[in-house]
Amino acid sequence: MKQIVQFIEDNNISEEEVAKAAHMSLRNFRRQIHSENRTQTRIVLILADYNHQSIDSIFFDQMYNQPVNLEGLTWTQVQDIMKLIHPELFTDIKRSSKFKDFEYNLKNDMGDRMRFVREVVFSLSQTQFGKYMEVTRNTAKYWDEGQINVDKILKISQRTNISMDFMIRDNYPLTLQTQGMSEALHLAVMTNCVLYRLRNMKQ
């Protein structure tokens, strides 16, 4: 992926060291980073940690506002925030019927995090989310199982503003990256987050 190759070049990162840390041959490592659809998540995780940066910062160079941390909000409040940012996901797509109760392991299961984004944040079935992301239902099903490469996570983040760090990293809070978010929208989102947290503290 061009963003990864550029990141390595700009920061003078040793490909040999990263390949070793990823437990793969240098040849395989180079094949993956130069591919547009085969790069494994562990590579970008290692690169970001190697340079003490977020994964989002590797791929988004126009995040002029701080990321938005959604910790402390109820899931209904999270949906209200997302309606401000992506109203098309709540007006153009018919909502799914109520999902079955499911215990999401957000701390260390990437598949559960992907399923959580689809089911809880956006209330979409695999078919609906697949249609929005322009993939098949089976592909969306694989994502729910954690079978997803970096290019697809990037596409999801671009279309939903859900942080790549949340989707890839273990023990990372639900966060929004702010690429393409105007100052006015960012202010509205941050203001609502503060008001929701204050309301929740009083309850």
Side-chain angles (χ1 to χ4, degrees), residues 88-95 124 128-129 131-132:
E88 76 280 1
L89 270 166
F90 296 88
T91 56
D92 295 344
I93 301 177
K94 184 179 179 181
R95 316 314 298 161
L124 297 176
Q128 291 166 328
F129 193 57
K131 184 177 180 180
Y132 181 69

Side-chain angles (χ1 to χ4, degrees), residues 128-142:
Q128 291 166 328
F129 193 57
K131 184 177 180 180
Y132 181 69
M133 294 305 304
E134 300 174 332
V135 299
T136 66
R137 176 191 175 280
N138 280 340
T139 296
K141 179 177 180 291
Y142 291 139

Side-chain angles (χ1 to χ4, degrees), residues 28-45:
N28 187 25
F29 172 77
R30 286 174 173 165
R31 185 185 300 122
Q32 285 206 29
I33 65 172
H34 286 281
S35 168
E36 289 302 314
N37 58 9
R38 292 175 55 187
T39 307
Q40 297 177 18
T41 55
R42 59 178 167 162
I43 289 178
V44 293
L45 184 57

Side-chain angles (χ1 to χ4, degrees), residues 66-93:
Q66 288 295 312
V68 180
N69 187 327
L70 300 180
E71 269 193 315
L73 274 59
T74 67
W75 302 141
T76 300
Q77 291 167 346
V78 168
Q79 281 198 349
D80 287 342
I81 293 294
M82 297 311 302
K83 288 175 185 176
L84 286 175
I85 305 170
H86 291 286
E88 76 280 1
L89 270 166
F90 296 88
T91 56
D92 295 344
I93 301 177

Side-chain angles (χ1 to χ4, degrees), residues 72-189:
L73 274 59
T74 67
W75 302 141
T76 300
Q77 291 167 346
V78 168
Q79 281 198 349
D80 287 342
I81 293 294
M82 297 311 302
K83 288 175 185 176
L84 286 175
I85 305 170
H86 291 286
E88 76 280 1
L89 270 166
F90 296 88
T91 56
D92 295 344
I93 301 177
K94 184 179 179 181
R95 316 314 298 161
S96 287
S97 58
K98 185 176 180 180
F99 293 102
K100 295 179 180 179
D101 290 336
F102 183 80
E103 293 292 329
Y104 300 93
N105 178 3
L106 302 183
K107 289 187 175 181
N108 51 28
D109 189 318
M110 187 166 69
D112 273 12
R113 290 193 291 271
M114 302 305 299
R115 181 174 176 178
F116 171 83
V117 167
R118 177 179 63 77
E119 289 187 344
V120 177
V121 178
F122 296 111
S123 296
L124 297 176
S125 67
Q126 291 172 341
T127 300
Q128 291 166 328
F129 193 57
K131 184 177 180 180
Y132 181 69
M133 294 305 304
E134 300 174 332
V135 299
T136 66
R137 176 191 175 280
N138 280 340
T139 296
K141 179 177 180 291
Y142 291 139
W143 294 352
D144 283 1
E145 298 168 356
Q147 299 180 49
I148 182 169
N149 287 334
V150 175
D151 63 298
K152 297 301 187 295
I153 294 177
L154 171 60
K155 185 176 180 181
I156 292 171
S157 186
Q158 288 171 329
R159 300 204 66 177
T160 67
N161 285 92
I162 300 293
S163 167
M164 294 181 71
D165 286 273
F166 170 74
M167 290 185 275
I168 293 174
R169 289 185 185 276
D170 288 345
N171 300 300
Y172 199 88
L174 178 59
T175 304
L176 304 178
Q177 56 83 3
T178 58
Q179 177 96 345
M181 196 179 294
S182 68
E183 289 283 351
L185 179 56
H186 184 260
L187 179 60
V189 168

